[in-house]
Amino acid sequence: MYHKLRTDGGMSVRMLPTVNWRAFLRGHEFDLYELCALFSSGDTQVIKDGEEYYLSSVEIDNRPESEEFYRAAERVLAIVNGIGQANNGSYRPVALVGRFQEGDSKQHQVVFPEGIEARVRLGAVAVVTDPEGNEVPPPPPLGPERVGKAMRHPDAAEALQIMGRPERTTWIDLYKVYEIIREAKGGEADLIRSGLATKPDISAFTGSANLPSVSGESARHARLAGTPKRTMQIAEARDFIGRLLTTWIDSLQ
């Protein structure tokens, strides 16, 4: 049985039946664990099953009939990786193993994973309690809702796909994300008025991204004069754009 028709841009598209596709993932344990926390429930999930992790999503199950399941998984994972990177500047994108499971079927294809870099995670998990000392359940994860909004807003999807590229985001990548958000809000003045960012933060980011005197050969320009009052290192810029991106997406309907 097929699901009801979905309308995309005025065209009716017959959707494939739900079969619960599982797309198995590879990556550093820290990053996979982070995704499990961001996507612990909802329409898009990252689940740990024994020693393995997999991605499942209604976007894969209910993809257009013309789209192969692995293409749908790539499309969703790009958004998921973008959310991971926007949420945590130290996040590294994970990848598809190349093994997929359709429902309870055992048919699969195996691609051996590549080596994963060694990293150390600092920090601890906080436990929230009420005045009586009872542990307060964590709020619903934000990841699935952000995926849903990205699927409804092409600008958000484009920005997340840039953030979720396998390579570490560069000044050029971060500036593209900034431009997408700025234009979506109607310009820099409207972006500031909305409360999503401040003028000093924007000036520090754009100056650092543009000026070779600040960011060297990684800058957007090879020749440009100027001395900003405040600058950002690339790690600070990733955090700034990540916060800007997630706050903007959360504000979308």
Side-chain angles (χ1 to χ4, degrees):
M1 178 180 295
Y2 284 84
H3 283 280
K4 63 182 180 180
L5 297 181
R6 186 176 75 181
T7 301
D8 292 332
M11 294 181 59
S12 295
V13 180
R14 188 176 65 167
M15 307 308 297
L16 293 175
T18 297
V19 292
N20 284 329
W21 281 92
R22 296 182 179 186
F24 288 86
L25 304 172
R26 63 175 173 85
H28 198 284
E29 189 78 14
F30 296 161
D31 304 314
L32 292 164
Y33 179 84
E34 180 118 2
L35 292 184
C36 284
L38 282 170
F39 297 91
S40 59
S41 63
D43 289 342
T44 298
Q45 297 184 34
V46 175
I47 303 296
K48 184 175 184 180
D49 183 13
E51 297 302 315
E52 296 184 295
Y53 294 82
Y54 66 84
L55 168 70
S56 66
S57 176
V58 296
E59 289 292 330
I60 303 174
D61 296 338
N62 297 342
R63 67 195 182 280
E65 190 171 6
S66 60
E67 186 177 29
E68 296 285 354
F69 65 88
Y70 58 88
R71 294 300 184 194
E74 289 176 334
R75 173 169 55 83
V76 175
L77 184 58
I79 301 294
V80 166
N81 273 326
I83 292 172
Q85 171 83 326
N87 188 71
N88 183 347
S90 64
Y91 174 85
R92 304 288 193 276
V94 304
L96 296 170
V97 170
R99 183 161 70 87
F100 301 85
Q101 182 173 318
E102 181 183 358
D104 295 328
S105 172
K106 300 303 180 182
Q107 298 179 6
H108 56 265
Q109 178 183 356
V110 176
V111 176
F112 292 104
E114 298 175 0
I116 303 300
E117 64 176 322
R119 282 160 53 202
V120 176
R121 177 183 291 277
L122 301 177
V125 177
V127 176
V128 180
T129 58
D130 62 20
E132 286 73 39
N134 301 311
E135 184 174 339
V136 178
L142 295 173
E145 184 178 356
R146 288 171 178 167
V147 170
K149 289 183 176 182
M151 296 303 174
R152 298 193 297 273
H153 296 273
D155 287 345
E158 182 183 2
L160 286 170
Q161 287 167 349
I162 293 172
M163 289 292 285
R165 288 172 179 167
E167 305 81 13
R168 292 292 277 153
T169 48
T170 64
W171 284 110
I172 294 174
D173 296 328
L174 296 173
Y175 205 93
K176 287 180 178 179
V177 174
Y178 167 71
E179 287 180 325
I180 291 170
I181 300 170
R182 183 190 65 195
E183 296 310 304
K185 293 300 294 183
E188 182 179 307
D190 289 332
L191 179 61
I192 295 170
R193 275 195 293 270
S194 72
L196 292 178
T198 65
K199 178 66 174 178
D201 281 343
I202 291 174
S203 296
F205 168 73
T206 56
S208 301
N210 287 325
L211 293 171
S213 60
V214 178
S215 47
E217 62 181 20
S218 299
R220 294 179 65 238
H221 300 285
R223 299 287 187 276
L224 187 66
T227 305
K229 294 181 179 179
R230 179 175 151 228
T231 61
M232 286 184 181
Q233 299 296 316
I234 186 69
E236 296 174 288
R238 289 182 181 125
D239 288 339
F240 168 65
I241 294 299
R243 290 193 304 272
L244 177 61
L245 177 56
T246 53
T247 304
W248 170 58
I249 291 175
D250 290 344
S251 72
L252 299 175
Q253 297 302 313

